[in-house]
Amino acid sequence: MRAQAQSLIRLLRWLVRHKRSSSTEQVLLMTGMVLTRTTSLVAASICSSLVALEIWLRTQAIWPLIWLGLEAVFLVLRCVLIVNARRAHRHRREGPVLVYIASGCAWAAMIGIAAFGCALSPDPIVVLMAALMVVGIIGGITARNSPIPRTAILQLLLCSLPYMLGIALNFQRWEIILCILVPASILGMIALTGRLHEQVLNLIVAERENAFLANHDSLTGLPNRAGFNDHLSRMLERNGRAEPWFAMLYLDLDGFKGVNDTLGHAAGDMVLRAVSERLTQQVGQDAFAARLSGDEFAVLLPASTISTAEALAAKIIEAVSQPIEFGAAWPIRVGVSVGIVSVPEHGHDPTILLSRADAALYSAKASGKGLVCLFQPGLDRRDLQSELKEAIGNPDQLILQYQPIISSQTGEVVSREALIRWRHPRMGMLPPSEFIPVAEQSRLIVPLGEWALHRACRDAATWTDGATVAVNVSPRQLGGRGITEAIADALAQSGLPAARLEIELGETSPLARTPEVFDDLNAIRQMGVRIALDDFPTGYSSLAALDWFPFDRIKIEGGVLRSVPHQRQTESIVRNLMSLAQELGIRVTAEGIETEQHLAIAHRLGIDELQGYLIGRPQAEPMSVQKAKRASAK
Ligand code: C2E
Ligand code: MG
Ligand code: MG
């Protein structure tokens, strides 16, 4: 009771002080709850029409018939308004709110006048039926229209006060009960309207708070990673249209960990709040600043050139490095390093942009603290390098796929080439061309190559068709880097016979024809492992290499056969190569057989083994003999 009285007082105050302060979102939500529903409206119309009909039957007067007619007109009018309101809401517009309110009030006034007529009737049944109708309708108005409380209260009064007036004018003793019941209902419903309105408002506020928390960091109030990603996606969408370019600044605090470790988390939180404030001040209204995680922040700077982005980064570094007063004797100092990428110059994909900004930041940190670094192609290699190092220790990230190599005579799968892929956590599946060069430059090629050897031997040992496995070995793994031990280990651990392993020396980096490399190749051959010269005759894979070491196989690079139909001399070069190979006892495989025409050329030139998409693509599960045969027979 007390709560109801309080909400009634609050509502009256609100009615007096009302000014339109609601946001469009709120108005849309509130009016949407009222304007788009038909059921209660139709139900109220049917009930009051039935009352009108009954009264006409009892009184045979003309006015209940007019009432009935008006009821139908109002119903049609309000349904048309609702259809319009629904359409407007779909387009996020308010719709015909004022007309709707006016028609609602007019309808309530009509009910009030009709109820007044009933209250003057000498027939107690008519008086009672009108009371029933008025109480029912004010309940319905409360339930339906509380999101627009002023209208609801006006409607309540319009339909009930004339009835009370009628009772007063034609008062009979038994009607005393109505004099209590109807006003009590009116007061109760007004209080309820206020209460319901408040609850709807609370719901809206809670919803907005939830939406805010989902996209904002509770410590600093800045947008969080989700908010940042949203904003970045929107900017990238616009980037294709109106907004020509923008910059992303990726920031990481220097010395923050020290603060947290020595002064505790409370001091750490305070530093983060202070840094956020300084960042917000520096970036101003046009840019967007966010806290991505821990001590990482990011800024999106619309319509900026690289020099404006660098100028902003310098201002941020200056502001952040100012001492932070900490209530203790000495202030805290932290710094910040910044990596910058420019859109679309450095990409148009959020993941790539973030990874490049991160690479630029990494470079800024590596060159000393408190510096700005703009992304440059090649920087992300350093990043890839450290990620590749982690991937080598992570069994889920590196994958070997197998591509069948068939005998051109029998169509049997005689071998399968192991081809490495990297399932990168951010960039998805990477082909070897994206990371083998990085591995070769950093010497990570040695552990990477060893991993591939072990994995390939283990897999091949399970194949039931006895096919050989061909593993690519970079020339950088040769020359005293433990390749012979690695091969011996892989064979011993997997139990694969040495005769079922072949290594392919590719052209990815120079094959140094030094005595150490020669000794390694010789030792591998001594174990019973075969050695192929890959990608012949490109780059370092040439006739001179054949002269230097007695390879077991030559793999002719895919482009060679493909150029035979267009360049007549290619065919005669391959023919000469075939007779040379025959003389030296070297087998020849043709790569890149993609069409029937390539297959026919390979057969015509007498090439021993065939590999290519026509026969089978590289895949995780090795292709069976039958499948490969079917493919090659196509
Ligand atoms: P590769 O040894 O010459 O391998 C053959 C490449 O040609 C593979 O590309 C294969 O997918 C592709 N290929 C096969 N059939 C066809 C075809 O019909 N048409 C065309 N257009 N291409 C075909 P992938 O897998 O991207 O490998 C590229 C290179 O990466 C390999 O060339 C090899 O040099 C290197 N590589 C792959 N795995 C390893 C590894 O484990 N270690 C080392 N060091 N290098 C590797
Ligand atoms: Mg190869
Ligand atoms: Mg090759």
Side-chain angles (χ1 to χ4, degrees), residues 44 47-48 51 107 111-112 115 126-143 155-161 163-164 167 177-190 192:
C47 292
S48 59
V51 172
W107 174 78
I111 294 286
V126 171
V127 179
L128 267 178
M129 271 173 51
L132 204 71
M133 177 185 75
V134 167
V135 171
I137 282 177
I138 62 176
I141 289 172
T142 303
Q155 280 185 301
L156 286 182
L157 298 176
L158 280 173
C159 74
S160 57
L161 288 186
Y163 178 74
M164 291 309 298
I167 296 284
I177 182 102
L178 296 180
C179 292
I180 300 167
L181 189 133
V182 178
S185 302
I186 295 171
L187 276 177
M189 290 306 155
I190 289 178
L192 193 60

Side-chain angles (χ1 to χ4, degrees), residues 404-415 553-554 556 561 578 582 586-591 593 596-612 614-615 625 628-629 631-634:
I405 300 169
I406 60 166
S407 152
S408 64
Q409 306 258 294
T410 63
E412 300 276 333
V413 174
V414 286
S415 177
R553 176 190 305 280
I554 299 169
I556 303 180
L561 281 206
M578 291 307 296
Q582 222 166 8
I586 303 176
R587 296 187 69 76
V588 177
T589 302
E591 287 182 343
I593 305 283
E596 295 296 341
Q597 191 190 27
H598 302 153
L599 191 67
I601 294 169
H603 280 303
R604 194 169 75 220
L605 292 171
I607 289 171
D608 306 292
E609 271 115 34
L610 311 167
Q611 177 180 7
L614 183 72
I615 292 143
V625 178
K629 263 189 175 173
S632 68
K634 271 187 202 160

Side-chain angles (χ1 to χ4, degrees), residues 37 173 179 186 217 248 267 272 287 340 385 417 451 462 485 531 542 564 601:
R37 316 232 159 115
R173 203 178 59 77
C179 292
I186 295 171
D217 164 43
M248 183 200 295
L272 289 172
I340 300 179
Q385 206 173 299
E417 179 172 5
W451 175 85
T462 64
E485 293 80 359
I531 304 173
S542 60
V564 166
I601 294 169

Side-chain angles (χ1 to χ4, degrees), residues 417-419 470-473 504-506 534-535 555 591 611:
E417 179 172 5
L419 295 161
V471 182
N472 290 285
V473 167
E504 291 187 9
L505 283 183
D534 205 354
D535 304 320
K555 290 189 79 176
E591 287 182 343
Q611 177 180 7

